[in-house]
Amino acid sequence: YVAKSLKNPNSLASRYRDFLINARKLMTDETFIPTLLVHAYPYNETLPVLKEDGSLDAMPSMKAIRYERMDEHVPSAFGYFNNQQRYEVPKSSEADEPKVWGPYFLGIYDLGDIVDSGALFIRKVSVNVDPNIVYMFPVSRESDIPYIRWPNELQISEKPNWERIKQEMMKKAKEEEEKKVKEKQ
């Protein structure tokens, strides 16, 4: 929606972008895109309504606008060290390596934390890091998000490089053959 809208010079997205540029104001993409979505039909029809008492008419568990994983390389102000695993950007990926302070990429194993956060939006996902989470969203109801968390220990094997394995096996066979020839001499 946003990408298509930005191509139309009369769309809300283009007019808002132009307003920000002309007013010489900066806005991050993680604020710009949700701002457009909460003001655009039909997306704004899916948001909970804020009641006069400050509560929401739906999604009472919503506690944040956005969920993201940040600053996990140092302890928190309360001495807490995050010890959860996180997604690394594959060397073959087109995605940029996150900065040491984050934000870190989210993946399918972060769904439990996303649900617990009560956030309306998430940041930062990439089809080049974990396409599974990209295909999970959007959902119609919070209950549509499966509660999946990181296993206590998860080790991912390397993808087999059959060409390298073949070369190593051929080298080993050649060395063994040469050894047999030397033993016979």
Side-chain angles (χ1 to χ4, degrees):
Y1 163 79
V2 175
K4 266 192 216 174
S5 294
L6 287 168
K7 291 178 183 177
N8 177 353
N10 296 318
S11 70
L12 171 65
S14 290
R15 292 177 65 195
Y16 189 44
R17 176 202 59 209
D18 294 345
F19 163 77
L20 292 170
I21 291 169
N22 292 333
R24 302 178 73 87
K25 298 196 182 281
L26 298 175
M27 182 181 285
T28 59
D29 58 346
E30 61 268 14
T31 303
F32 181 75
I33 293 171
T35 300
L36 291 174
L37 294 177
V38 299
H39 288 89
Y41 179 81
Y43 308 104
N44 59 358
E45 297 291 315
T46 66
L47 298 173
V49 175
L50 185 64
K51 298 191 294 191
E52 284 188 34
D53 66 358
S55 64
L56 299 173
D57 71 340
M59 296 177 68
S61 63
M62 189 172 113
K63 301 177 245 132
I65 295 296
R66 177 178 71 235
Y67 174 76
E68 59 191 0
R69 290 180 67 179
M70 298 281 285
D71 293 327
E72 295 180 2
H73 68 290
V74 296
S76 71
F78 306 104
Y80 170 74
F81 262 108
N82 190 320
N83 61 1
Q84 285 183 293
Q85 288 184 272
R86 62 176 176 248
Y87 290 84
E88 298 291 342
V89 177
K91 290 181 183 9
S92 62
S93 174
E94 295 175 13
D96 290 335
E97 189 72 33
K99 306 289 186 259
V100 72
W101 57 86
Y104 301 107
F105 283 100
L106 300 174
I108 206 76
Y109 286 124
D110 294 310
L111 288 174
D113 290 329
I114 292 166
V115 170
D116 288 345
S117 77
L120 188 57
F121 296 98
I122 59 173
R123 178 187 182 215
K124 163 178 189 175
V125 298
S126 172
V127 72
N128 294 312
V129 176
D130 185 0
N132 298 312
I133 195 162
V134 174
Y135 302 135
M136 283 293 309
F137 293 104
V139 294
S140 299
R141 294 177 308 281
E142 182 182 10
S143 60
D144 291 343
I145 303 172
Y147 197 80
I148 300 172
R149 299 185 69 88
W150 284 93
N152 286 336
E153 285 190 43
L154 177 68
Q155 293 185 354
I156 299 173
S157 66
E158 287 184 38
K159 287 184 181 178
N161 180 336
W162 295 113
E163 189 59 38
R164 181 182 48 111
I165 292 169
K166 176 182 162 186
Q167 294 298 325
E168 288 171 359
M169 291 174 73
M170 290 174 67
K171 180 181 175 185
K172 184 177 177 184
K174 184 178 178 183
E175 288 171 354
E176 288 176 3
E177 187 64 32
E178 289 173 354
K179 184 178 175 183
K180 285 180 186 177
V181 168
K182 281 184 179 179
E183 288 174 355
K184 287 182 180 179
Q185 292 175 353

